[in-house]
Amino acid sequence: MFKTIVVGLLVFLAIMDTKAEGEVKDSLPGYLQHYDIESVDVVVTKLKQYQVGSKKETFTPLQKSSVEQGSLTELISRYQPIYIKTDAGGLASFRFRGTSDNHTSVRVRGIELNSQTLGSYNANNAPVFLFDQVQISFGSSSATLGSGSIGGNVRLELQNKFKNGVNGEGKVSLGSFGEYMAGAKVFASNGRLESVTRLVYYEKENDFPFENTAYYNFETRSYDRDKQKNARIENANLIQQLNYKWDDNRMLSSVIWLTKNRHEAQPNMAENTNPNTRYIEDQNIRTWIQYDQNSHIGNFYLGGGYVFDDNIDYSSKEQKITTQRWITEGGLKKEKDWLSMQLGLRYLFIKPDVYAYDESISEYRTSLYASLLATPIDWLKLSLNLRQQFVSRFNAPFTPALGLEMRLINKNNQTLNLFGNIQRAYRIPTLNDRYWGQDGYEGNRNIKPEDALSAELGLGYLFSDNETWTFRLNTNVFYMNVHDWLLWTQGSSGWYADNVMRVISKGLETTIRAYCDLGRQQIEIGGGFTFNPAVRKESDLITDIIDQQLEYVPKYIATGYIQYTFSRAGIILDGNYTGRRYYNQAGKYLSAYQLINCSAFYQFNLGNNLLRFDAQVNNLLSEQYQNQYQYAMPEINYRVAINYKF
Amino acid sequence: MKMKKYLVLFLALPFLLASCEKEENETPEAKITGHYVLNYGSYSSSVGSLSYIDLENSTVQNEIYKAVNGVDMSGKPQYAYEYQGDIYFMGNAVDEIYFVEASSLEQTSNGVSTDIIKPRFCVGEGNYLYISCWGGDVWGDTSLGYIAKYNVTTNEVEKTIDMPGGPEGLVIANGTLFCALNYDTKIGMIDLETEEVSFIEGVPGVSSYFLKDDEGNLFVSIPDTYSISATTAGLGYINTTTKTLEATYELSSITSNYSSIMSFNKDKSKIYVVGGSYDSFYNYSGGIYVFDTELKSFESEPLLTGVSGINGVYFNKQTELVYVMVSQSTTANGLLSFYNTNGELQEEFSTGIAPSWILDVE
């Protein structure tokens, strides 16, 4: 079946007119287009074109700048109704739409950042300052992105400016509990050749006070105040981009990202008395180079990358966990009138060196994908994405995806869109799931890929009076049915990986933004809400509770913000509510919590340059809460920052 | 005069003790009205807990410690031991020993952490609990282990005695503390009078727990572990008089779990042992294997097979039912299943997470 479709698409490509066409134009009125989501990364823009009908979100400049001192975790959990399970800055994992941490892929250009051994990405290791924009896609996208993208996808975007001269910015920030951040970005270009250097150093002692609820004092009959120990964080990141543009039709872009992220594994409340420190260090080399050319044949792209991931646990340093990856991807995109097509091939070779694997293994993964985007009438956009992956010693499923965007109302000052998609998604089990072999922990070579069917349907409303007010409302429902959900299960001689569950996650998501431009003053109010029942529907484990909300999936989560800028000053007040979360199936849950934060800035013009001061109060009401069971979180804390743009 | 009185008392002592022993044998066993189930919990999703199984009413009350004390149990309890009216817990999150009054389950004092590092198991003698402690990351340094001598009247560790090799299960026999070593192929011994340490060498694997028979000799579990492969996994038999390992009985699938993995039946003619293996599809199938102590061999057919997540076994000597503890995941409650000696399921209770030991309530 797949073969027939691919051959058909190839034939269709061949007989299409060879004249290069521009992008399929959106019929959105001009001033509304400015308010729609924009990618700043040209490579990302090309890739996401075929992801039609899925919910996507990004961040306003003020939102991004308010947490540039922090990590991706802080940015997303503050401004999007997405739950991220985290401790106080060391380790964080995404929980998109009720899925687990290895169901969300995080990407930069053509590189997936997720660990090939664990499957997940630590969102605390991505400093917000390093990137120009962050784009979030909700729901499955395996057909366009491959294995793992079941719950969502996060793209960290890097801009190529090609602006003549040298410009950039520097930032220094100080915060509570020994927090210090320094970063710089320098763009240098002569219009053809561009160098972009990005550098961030971050450290935090993380020795905040908290009430230790794990240790009840039977003599005083109370919980004692405690101080977090052994939770220091120290991250260093360097990105170097080198780009060359022959003309508007030919470009070479490259990126190398070096990281050394070291944190002490935060002890939970019960273990806070333990004097031992466990350092975890992630060292990564990530490179990607891509050539893009528009010609009469079409838009051709060819990329290649190398990734080296080294995870060092200082409590057992000799136990090596490293993986190397070589990636190649190429494809051809062709546009003709109302049709756009893409054919591509991605090859990945993985070579792990992990102390607990019982043999020297390597793995290749080849993906063949095809995409079709049709705009037969200016108010209708349809997409079809097909992907077949081939994995050594493993059968990956064929993944089709069908997307739809329909403009129901298209008046001068308002639009109403209907969007939706239905697709199959999957996740290849991680290398650990299959090959780990250690006392009490056994991988399973016979496990199957997780296999999901997901669908969503939503409405997007946009209104603008063309002068003062802009209003945007997106609301959608989603449904996801994941078979063969993989878990590590306890047997009599320890733990082993197996496909044990079927999970259904469904819900409602709403985001709203209202923007008012009064000349020197601007006001924006926005927020998001997620209602997400996610339950086990079937399980091979007789002790599992069917139809109970999954652990670490809040049924309710909401965010809200109001930002006000006046001339050179601005203030943003934001809050988020995270509903109660079960942390086991024994009926135990973590209480809901609300966090309120406030950020303000004032900036001066120094000739053509800009000097900006920022101040922040986080957790304004000093809420005592746990995001993760028995892991302390900081109460009220402060930050100040100075930023210079030239 | 005073000396003479002591001399008479000293000479009479063996007769007094013999008389006590006879009386004890004649005293009918107290009726077991219920059980406490110690649930280890899990590292990431729960502290430990105590469940109460009311046998007379066939009911279960989970979180009974919390119901009494108002707070969760401290630490991940590795083992619980009733001694002199108190129940002692070996806490493994915060390394500590803490105790509750056995009759009320009320905890009135904080746990003891001084000189307690990774406590595993304990056994009582006189005013002392002998507590096996790994002493740290024993998998990296096997020399760290020791036995803590804990005074139950002062609630202090009076002394530590080095016991390298990952000390685990303990038993006292013939005036000697026998110590299973989970990271060495020896059995440790401490003469309780002189506190001298010696070893039984040449054990065909690591060891984990003991059962004492009516002769005062010991059956010891010898599992195959990732760290040390056993040349013969199964049960060993130790003569406590000669202090030698007299025999080994192979059960290659004997579990390496840290829980109640074996239990005598009422007349100690059988030992129920937890074991299991992976099938060709990599699914783990656990079961209960039966060792005949008279024939000195395992029965050809296990009592139970295909029990996923089997974690422990216990034999109720009054009802003659075999209890099987099941723990399939770190986030879900466990199960306590009662089987008759033909392997037929009689009753089932939901416990806390990871049920691992049982204490009788009489």
Coordinates of all heavy atoms in Angstrom, one line a residue, chain A residues 215-219 221 223 270-271 437-439 442-444 446 489-493 495-496 498 536 541-544 551 583-586 588 629-630, chain B residues 43-47 63 65 71-72 93-94 96 107-110 226-227 255 257 278 280-284 309-310 327-333 335 353:
Chain A
Y215 N 9.6 14.6 56.9 CA 10.2 14.3 58.2 C 9.4 15.0 59.3 O 9.6 16.1 59.6 CB 11.6 14.8 58.1 CG 12.5 14.1 59.1 CD1 12.8 12.7 58.9 CD2 13.0 14.7 60.2 CE1 13.6 12.0 59.8 CE2 13.8 14.0 61.1 CZ 14.1 12.6 60.9 OH 14.9 11.9 61.8
Y216 N 8.6 14.1 59.9 CA 7.7 14.7 61.0 C 8.5 14.5 62.3 O 9.0 13.5 62.6 CB 6.4 13.9 61.0 CG 5.4 14.4 62.0 CD1 4.8 15.6 61.8 CD2 5.1 13.7 63.2 CE1 3.8 16.0 62.6 CE2 4.2 14.2 64.1 CZ 3.6 15.3 63.8 OH 2.6 15.8 64.7
N217 N 8.5 15.6 63.0 CA 9.2 15.6 64.3 C 8.2 15.1 65.4 O 7.3 15.9 65.7 CB 9.8 16.9 64.6 CG 10.7 16.9 65.8 OD1 10.4 16.2 66.8 ND2 11.7 17.7 65.8
F218 N 8.3 13.9 65.9 CA 7.3 13.3 66.8 C 7.5 14.0 68.2 O 6.6 13.8 69.0 CB 7.5 11.8 66.9 CG 6.9 11.1 65.8 CD1 7.7 10.8 64.6 CD2 5.6 10.7 65.7 CE1 7.2 10.2 63.5 CE2 5.0 10.1 64.7 CZ 5.8 9.8 63.6
E219 N 8.6 14.7 68.4 CA 8.8 15.3 69.7 C 8.1 16.7 69.8 O 7.5 17.0 70.7 CB 10.2 15.3 70.1 CG 10.7 13.9 70.6 CD 12.1 13.6 70.2 OE1 12.9 14.5 69.9 OE2 12.4 12.3 70.2
R221 N 5.9 17.5 67.4 CA 4.6 17.3 66.7 C 4.4 18.4 65.6 O 3.4 19.0 65.5 CB 3.4 17.4 67.7 CG 3.4 16.3 68.7 CD 2.7 15.1 68.2 NE 3.2 13.9 68.9 CZ 2.9 12.6 68.4 NH1 2.2 12.5 67.4 NH2 3.3 11.6 69.1
Y223 N 6.2 19.6 61.4 CA 7.2 19.5 60.4 C 8.2 20.6 60.6 O 7.9 21.8 60.9 CB 6.6 19.6 59.0 CG 5.7 18.5 58.6 CD1 4.3 18.7 58.5 CD2 6.2 17.2 58.4 CE1 3.5 17.6 58.1 CE2 5.3 16.2 58.1 CZ 4.0 16.4 58.0 OH 3.2 15.3 57.6
A270 N 12.9 13.5 52.0 CA 13.3 12.5 52.9 C 14.8 12.3 52.9 O 15.5 12.0 53.9 CB 12.7 11.1 52.6
E271 N 15.5 12.5 51.8 CA 16.9 12.3 51.7 C 17.7 13.6 51.8 O 18.9 13.6 51.5 CB 17.2 11.6 50.3 CG 16.6 10.2 50.3 CD 17.0 9.4 49.0 OE1 17.1 10.1 48.0 OE2 17.2 8.2 49.2
G437 N 20.6 -4.2 30.7 CA 20.8 -5.5 31.4 C 21.6 -5.2 32.7 O 22.8 -5.0 32.6
Q438 N 21.0 -5.2 33.8 CA 21.7 -4.9 35.0 C 21.0 -5.6 36.2 O 19.8 -5.9 36.0 CB 21.7 -3.4 35.2 CG 22.7 -2.9 36.2 CD 22.6 -1.4 36.5 OE1 21.6 -0.8 36.2 NE2 23.6 -0.8 37.0
D439 N 21.7 -5.7 37.3 CA 21.0 -6.3 38.4 C 19.7 -5.7 38.7 O 19.6 -4.6 39.1 CB 22.0 -6.1 39.6 CG 21.6 -7.1 40.8 OD1 20.7 -7.9 40.5 OD2 22.2 -7.0 41.8
E442 N 16.0 -5.4 33.5 CA 16.2 -6.1 32.2 C 15.4 -5.4 31.1 O 14.2 -5.3 31.2 CB 15.8 -7.5 32.4 CG 16.9 -8.4 33.1 CD 18.1 -8.6 32.3 OE1 18.1 -8.5 31.1 OE2 19.2 -8.9 32.9
G443 N 16.1 -5.0 30.1 CA 15.4 -4.6 28.9 C 14.7 -5.8 28.2 O 14.9 -6.9 28.6
N444 N 13.9 -5.5 27.2 CA 13.2 -6.5 26.5 C 13.2 -6.4 25.0 O 12.7 -5.4 24.5 CB 11.7 -6.4 27.0 CG 10.8 -7.4 26.4 OD1 11.2 -8.2 25.5 ND2 9.6 -7.5 27.0
N446 N 11.9 -8.0 22.8 CA 10.7 -8.4 22.0 C 9.5 -7.4 22.2 O 8.4 -7.7 21.8 CB 10.2 -9.8 22.5 CG 11.2 -10.8 22.1 OD1 11.7 -10.9 21.0 ND2 11.6 -11.7 23.0
T489 N 8.1 -2.9 34.5 CA 7.3 -3.6 35.4 C 8.1 -4.5 36.3 O 9.2 -5.0 35.9 CB 6.3 -4.5 34.6 OG1 5.6 -3.7 33.7 CG2 5.4 -5.3 35.5
Q490 N 7.6 -4.7 37.5 CA 8.4 -5.4 38.5 C 8.1 -6.9 38.4 O 7.0 -7.3 38.6 CB 8.1 -4.9 39.9 CG 9.1 -5.5 41.0 CD 8.9 -4.8 42.3 OE1 7.9 -4.3 42.6 NE2 10.0 -4.8 43.1
G491 N 9.1 -7.7 38.3 CA 9.0 -9.1 38.3 C 9.7 -9.6 39.6 O 10.1 -8.8 40.4
S492 N 9.8 -10.9 39.8 CA 10.4 -11.4 41.0 C 11.9 -11.1 41.1 O 12.4 -11.1 42.2 CB 10.1 -12.9 41.1 OG 8.8 -13.1 41.3
S493 N 12.5 -11.0 40.0 CA 13.9 -10.7 40.0 C 14.3 -9.3 39.5 O 15.3 -9.1 38.9 CB 14.7 -11.8 39.1 OG 14.6 -13.0 39.7
W495 N 13.2 -5.5 37.6 CA 12.3 -4.8 36.6 C 12.6 -5.1 35.2 O 13.7 -5.4 34.8 CB 12.5 -3.3 36.8 CG 12.1 -2.9 38.2 CD1 12.9 -2.9 39.4 CD2 10.8 -2.3 38.6 NE1 12.1 -2.5 40.4 CE2 10.9 -2.1 40.0 CE3 9.7 -2.1 37.9 CZ2 9.8 -1.6 40.7 CZ3 8.6 -1.5 38.6 CH2 8.7 -1.3 40.0
Y496 N 11.5 -5.2 34.4 CA 11.7 -5.4 33.0 C 10.7 -4.6 32.2 O 9.6 -4.2 32.7 CB 11.6 -6.9 32.7 CG 10.2 -7.5 32.9 CD1 9.3 -7.7 31.9 CD2 9.8 -7.8 34.2 CE1 8.0 -8.2 32.1 CE2 8.5 -8.3 34.4 CZ 7.6 -8.5 33.4 OH 6.4 -9.0 33.6
D498 N 8.0 -3.8 29.2 CA 7.0 -4.6 28.5 C 5.9 -3.6 28.0 O 5.7 -2.5 28.6 CB 6.4 -5.6 29.5 CG 5.9 -6.8 28.7 OD1 5.9 -6.8 27.4 OD2 5.4 -7.8 29.3
R536 N -5.9 4.8 32.0 CA -5.6 3.5 31.5 C -7.0 2.8 31.1 O -7.9 2.8 32.0 CB -5.0 2.6 32.6 CG -3.6 2.9 33.0 CD -3.3 2.1 34.3 NE -1.9 2.4 34.7 CZ -1.6 3.5 35.4 NH1 -2.5 4.3 35.8 NH2 -0.3 3.7 35.8
L541 N -1.4 -5.6 33.8 CA -1.1 -5.7 35.2 C -2.4 -5.8 36.0 O -3.2 -4.8 35.9 CB -0.3 -4.5 35.7 CG 1.0 -4.3 34.9 CD1 1.7 -3.1 35.5 CD2 1.9 -5.5 34.9
I542 N -2.6 -6.8 36.7 CA -3.9 -7.0 37.4 C -4.1 -6.0 38.5 O -5.2 -5.7 39.0 CB -4.1 -8.4 38.0 CG1 -2.9 -8.8 38.9 CG2 -4.3 -9.4 36.9 CD1 -3.1 -10.1 39.6
T543 N -3.0 -5.4 39.0 CA -3.1 -4.4 40.1 C -3.3 -3.0 39.6 O -3.5 -2.1 40.4 CB -1.8 -4.4 41.0 OG1 -0.7 -4.3 40.1 CG2 -1.7 -5.7 41.7
D544 N -3.2 -2.8 38.3 CA -3.5 -1.4 37.7 C -5.0 -1.1 37.9 O -5.8 -2.0 37.8 CB -3.1 -1.4 36.2 CG -1.7 -1.0 36.1 OD1 -1.0 -0.6 37.0 OD2 -1.2 -1.1 34.9
E551 N -1.0 9.0 36.5 CA -0.2 9.7 37.4 C 0.5 10.9 36.7 O 0.9 10.8 35.5 CB 0.9 8.8 38.0 CG 0.4 7.6 38.8 CD -0.1 6.5 37.9 OE1 0.7 5.9 37.3 OE2 -1.4 6.3 37.9
Y583 N 0.1 10.8 42.2 CA 1.4 10.3 42.0 C 1.6 8.8 42.1 O 2.7 8.3 42.0 CB 2.4 11.1 42.9 CG 2.2 10.9 44.4 CD1 2.7 9.9 45.1 CD2 1.5 11.9 45.1 CE1 2.5 9.8 46.5 CE2 1.3 11.8 46.4 CZ 1.8 10.8 47.1 OH 1.6 10.7 48.5
N584 N 0.5 8.1 42.4 CA 0.5 6.7 42.4 C -1.0 6.3 42.2 O -1.9 7.1 42.1 CB 1.1 6.0 43.6 CG 0.4 6.3 44.9 OD1 -0.8 6.5 44.9 ND2 1.2 6.4 45.9
Q585 N -1.2 5.0 42.1 CA -2.6 4.5 41.9 C -3.2 4.1 43.2 O -4.3 3.4 43.2 CB -2.5 3.2 41.0 CG -2.1 3.6 39.6 CD -2.1 2.3 38.7 OE1 -3.2 1.9 38.3 NE2 -1.0 1.8 38.3
A586 N -2.6 4.4 44.3 CA -3.1 4.1 45.6 C -4.0 5.3 46.1 O -4.2 5.4 47.3 CB -2.0 3.8 46.6
K588 N -3.2 8.4 46.1 CA -2.4 9.5 46.7 C -2.2 10.6 45.6 O -1.9 10.3 44.4 CB -1.0 9.1 47.1 CG -1.0 8.1 48.3 CD -1.4 8.8 49.6 CE -1.3 8.0 50.8 NZ 0.1 8.0 51.3
Y629 N 6.4 14.5 43.6 CA 6.3 14.0 44.9 C 7.5 14.1 45.8 O 8.6 13.6 45.4 CB 5.8 12.6 44.9 CG 5.7 11.9 46.2 CD1 4.8 12.4 47.1 CD2 6.5 10.8 46.5 CE1 4.7 11.7 48.4 CE2 6.4 10.2 47.7 CZ 5.5 10.6 48.6 OH 5.4 10.0 49.9
Q630 N 7.4 14.8 46.9 CA 8.5 15.0 47.9 C 9.7 15.7 47.4 O 10.8 15.6 47.9 CB 8.9 13.6 48.4 CG 7.9 13.1 49.5 CD 8.5 12.2 50.5 OE1 9.6 11.6 50.3 NE2 7.8 11.9 51.6
Chain B
Y43 N 10.5 4.1 45.4 CA 11.4 5.3 45.5 C 10.7 6.6 45.0 O 10.8 7.6 45.6 CB 12.7 5.0 44.7 CG 13.7 6.2 44.8 CD1 14.5 6.3 45.9 CD2 13.7 7.2 43.9 CE1 15.4 7.3 46.1 CE2 14.6 8.2 44.0 CZ 15.4 8.3 45.1 OH 16.3 9.4 45.3
S44 N 10.0 6.5 43.9 CA 9.5 7.7 43.3 C 8.1 8.1 43.6 O 7.7 9.2 43.5 CB 9.7 7.6 41.8 OG 8.9 6.4 41.3
S45 N 7.3 7.1 44.0 CA 5.8 7.5 44.1 C 5.2 7.2 45.4 O 4.0 7.5 45.5 CB 5.1 6.7 43.0 OG 5.1 5.3 43.3
S46 N 5.9 6.7 46.4 CA 5.2 6.5 47.6 C 6.3 6.2 48.7 O 7.3 5.5 48.5 CB 4.3 5.4 47.5 OG 3.6 5.2 48.8
V47 N 5.9 6.6 49.9 CA 6.7 6.1 51.1 C 6.1 4.8 51.4 O 5.1 4.3 50.8 CB 6.6 7.1 52.3 CG1 7.3 8.4 52.0 CG2 5.1 7.3 52.6
E63 N -2.9 1.9 55.0 CA -2.4 3.2 55.6 C -2.8 3.2 57.1 O -3.2 4.3 57.6 CB -3.1 4.4 54.9 CG -2.8 4.4 53.4 CD -1.5 5.2 53.1 OE1 -0.9 5.7 54.0 OE2 -1.2 5.2 51.9
Y65 N -0.9 2.9 59.7 CA 0.1 3.7 60.5 C -0.3 5.2 60.4 O -0.3 5.9 61.4 CB 1.5 3.5 59.9 CG 2.5 4.4 60.5 CD1 3.3 4.0 61.5 CD2 2.7 5.7 60.0 CE1 4.2 4.9 62.1 CE2 3.6 6.6 60.5 CZ 4.4 6.2 61.6 OH 5.3 7.1 62.1
V71 N 0.4 11.0 60.1 CA 1.4 11.3 59.1 C 1.9 10.0 58.4 O 1.7 8.9 58.9 CB 2.7 12.0 59.7 CG1 2.3 13.4 60.2 CG2 3.3 11.2 60.8
D72 N 2.5 10.2 57.2 CA 3.0 9.0 56.5 C 4.1 8.4 57.3 O 4.8 9.1 58.0 CB 3.5 9.4 55.1 CG 2.4 9.6 54.1 OD1 1.4 8.9 54.2 OD2 2.4 10.6 53.4
A93 N 14.8 5.4 53.4 CA 14.9 6.7 52.7 C 15.8 7.6 53.6 O 16.9 8.0 53.2 CB 13.5 7.3 52.4
V94 N 15.2 8.0 54.7 CA 16.1 8.5 55.8 C 16.6 7.2 56.4 O 15.8 6.3 56.8 CB 15.3 9.3 56.8 CG1 16.2 9.7 57.9 CG2 14.7 10.5 56.1
E96 N 17.3 5.1 59.1 CA 17.0 5.2 60.5 C 16.2 3.9 61.0 O 15.7 3.2 60.2 CB 16.1 6.4 60.8 CG 14.8 6.4 60.0 CD 13.8 7.5 60.4 OE1 14.1 8.2 61.3 OE2 12.8 7.6 59.7
Q107 N 3.6 6.0 67.3 CA 5.0 6.3 67.4 C 5.1 7.6 68.2 O 4.4 8.6 68.0 CB 5.6 6.6 66.0 CG 7.1 7.0 66.0 CD 7.7 7.0 64.6 OE1 7.1 6.7 63.6 NE2 9.0 7.5 64.6
T108 N 6.0 7.6 69.2 CA 6.1 8.7 70.1 C 7.5 9.4 70.1 O 7.6 10.4 70.7 CB 5.8 8.3 71.6 OG1 6.7 7.2 71.9 CG2 4.4 7.9 71.8
S109 N 8.4 8.7 69.5 CA 9.8 9.4 69.4 C 10.3 9.3 68.0 O 9.8 8.5 67.2 CB 10.7 8.6 70.4 OG 10.8 7.3 70.0
N110 N 11.3 10.2 67.8 CA 11.9 10.2 66.4 C 12.8 9.0 66.2 O 13.2 8.4 67.2 CB 12.7 11.5 66.3 CG 11.8 12.7 66.2 OD1 10.7 12.7 65.8 ND2 12.4 13.9 66.7
Y226 N 22.9 -10.2 39.5 CA 23.7 -9.7 38.4 C 25.2 -9.5 38.8 O 26.1 -9.7 38.0 CB 23.1 -8.3 38.0 CG 23.8 -7.6 36.9 CD1 23.5 -7.9 35.6 CD2 24.7 -6.6 37.1 CE1 24.1 -7.3 34.5 CE2 25.4 -6.0 36.1 CZ 25.0 -6.3 34.8 OH 25.7 -5.7 33.7
S227 N 25.4 -9.1 40.1 CA 26.7 -8.8 40.5 C 27.5 -10.1 40.7 O 28.7 -10.1 40.3 CB 26.7 -8.1 41.9 OG 25.8 -7.0 41.9
T255 N 14.3 -16.3 43.8 CA 14.3 -14.8 43.6 C 15.4 -14.2 44.4 O 15.8 -14.7 45.5 CB 12.9 -14.2 44.0 OG1 13.0 -12.8 43.8 CG2 12.6 -14.5 45.5
N257 N 14.8 -11.0 45.4 CA 14.1 -9.9 46.0 C 14.4 -9.8 47.5 O 14.8 -10.7 48.1 CB 12.6 -10.2 45.9 CG 12.0 -9.8 44.5 OD1 12.8 -9.5 43.6 ND2 10.7 -9.9 44.4
Y278 N 12.0 -16.1 33.0 CA 11.5 -15.5 31.8 C 11.1 -16.5 30.7 O 11.9 -17.5 30.6 CB 12.5 -14.5 31.2 CG 12.8 -13.4 32.1 CD1 13.8 -13.3 33.0 CD2 12.0 -12.2 32.0 CE1 14.1 -12.2 33.8 CE2 12.2 -11.1 32.8 CZ 13.2 -11.1 33.7 OH 13.4 -10.1 34.5
S280 N 10.1 -17.4 26.6 CA 10.8 -17.1 25.3 C 10.4 -15.7 24.8 O 11.0 -15.2 23.9 CB 10.4 -18.2 24.3 OG 9.1 -18.3 24.1
F281 N 9.2 -15.2 25.3 CA 8.8 -13.9 24.9 C 9.3 -12.8 25.9 O 8.8 -11.7 25.9 CB 7.3 -13.8 24.7 CG 6.9 -14.7 23.6 CD1 6.3 -15.9 23.8 CD2 7.1 -14.3 22.2 CE1 5.9 -16.7 22.8 CE2 6.7 -15.2 21.2 CZ 6.1 -16.4 21.5
Y282 N 10.1 -13.2 26.8 CA 10.7 -12.3 27.7 C 9.7 -11.9 28.8 O 9.9 -10.9 29.5 CB 11.3 -11.0 27.1 CG 12.7 -10.9 27.3 CD1 13.7 -11.7 26.7 CD2 13.2 -9.9 28.2 CE1 15.0 -11.5 27.0 CE2 14.5 -9.7 28.5 CZ 15.4 -10.6 27.9 OH 16.8 -10.4 28.1
N283 N 8.6 -12.6 28.9 CA 7.7 -12.3 30.0 C 8.1 -13.0 31.3 O 8.4 -14.2 31.2 CB 6.3 -12.7 29.6 CG 5.7 -11.9 28.4 OD1 5.9 -10.7 28.4 ND2 5.2 -12.6 27.5
Y284 N 8.0 -12.3 32.4 CA 8.5 -13.0 33.6 C 7.3 -13.7 34.2 O 6.2 -13.2 34.3 CB 8.9 -11.9 34.6 CG 9.6 -12.6 35.8 CD1 10.9 -12.9 35.7 CD2 8.9 -12.9 36.9 CE1 11.6 -13.5 36.8 CE2 9.5 -13.5 38.0 CZ 10.8 -13.8 37.9 OH 11.4 -14.5 39.0
G309 N 4.8 -10.4 38.9 CA 5.1 -9.5 40.0 C 5.1 -10.1 41.4 O 5.0 -9.4 42.4
I310 N 5.4 -11.4 41.4 CA 5.4 -12.1 42.8 C 6.5 -11.5 43.6 O 7.6 -11.3 43.1 CB 5.4 -13.6 42.6 CG1 5.2 -14.3 43.9 CG2 6.7 -14.0 42.0 CD1 4.9 -15.8 43.7
S327 N 3.5 -7.6 43.7 CA 3.8 -6.2 43.4 C 4.2 -6.0 42.0 O 5.3 -6.4 41.6 CB 4.9 -5.7 44.3 OG 5.3 -4.4 43.9
Q328 N 3.3 -5.5 41.2 CA 3.5 -5.5 39.7 C 4.1 -4.1 39.3 O 4.7 -4.0 38.2 CB 2.2 -5.7 38.9 CG 1.8 -7.2 39.0 CD 0.6 -7.4 38.1 OE1 -0.3 -6.7 38.1 NE2 0.7 -8.5 37.4
S329 N 3.8 -3.1 40.0 CA 4.3 -1.8 39.5 C 4.6 -0.9 40.7 O 4.1 -1.2 41.8 CB 3.4 -1.1 38.6 OG 2.5 -0.2 39.2
T330 N 5.4 0.1 40.5 CA 5.7 1.0 41.6 C 4.6 2.0 41.9 O 4.7 2.8 42.9 CB 7.0 1.9 41.2 OG1 6.7 2.5 40.0 CG2 8.2 1.1 41.2
T331 N 3.6 2.1 41.0 CA 2.6 3.1 41.3 C 1.3 2.5 41.7 O 0.4 3.2 42.2 CB 2.3 3.9 40.0 OG1 1.8 3.0 39.0 CG2 3.6 4.5 39.5
A332 N 1.1 1.2 41.6 CA -0.2 0.5 42.0 C -0.1 -0.2 43.3 O 1.0 -0.7 43.7 CB -0.6 -0.4 40.8
N333 N -1.2 -0.3 43.9 CA -1.3 -1.1 45.1 C -0.9 -2.6 44.8 O -1.1 -3.1 43.7 CB -2.7 -1.1 45.7 CG -3.0 0.1 46.5 OD1 -2.0 0.7 47.1 ND2 -4.2 0.6 46.6
L335 N -1.0 -6.8 46.0 CA -2.1 -7.8 46.3 C -1.5 -8.8 47.3 O -0.4 -9.2 47.3 CB -2.4 -8.6 45.0 CG -3.4 -8.1 44.0 CD1 -3.6 -9.1 42.9 CD2 -4.8 -7.8 44.7
I353 N 1.5 -0.3 48.3 CA 2.4 -0.5 47.2 C 3.6 -1.4 47.7 O 4.2 -1.1 48.7 CB 2.9 0.8 46.6 CG1 1.8 1.6 46.0 CG2 4.1 0.6 45.6 CD1 2.1 3.0 45.6

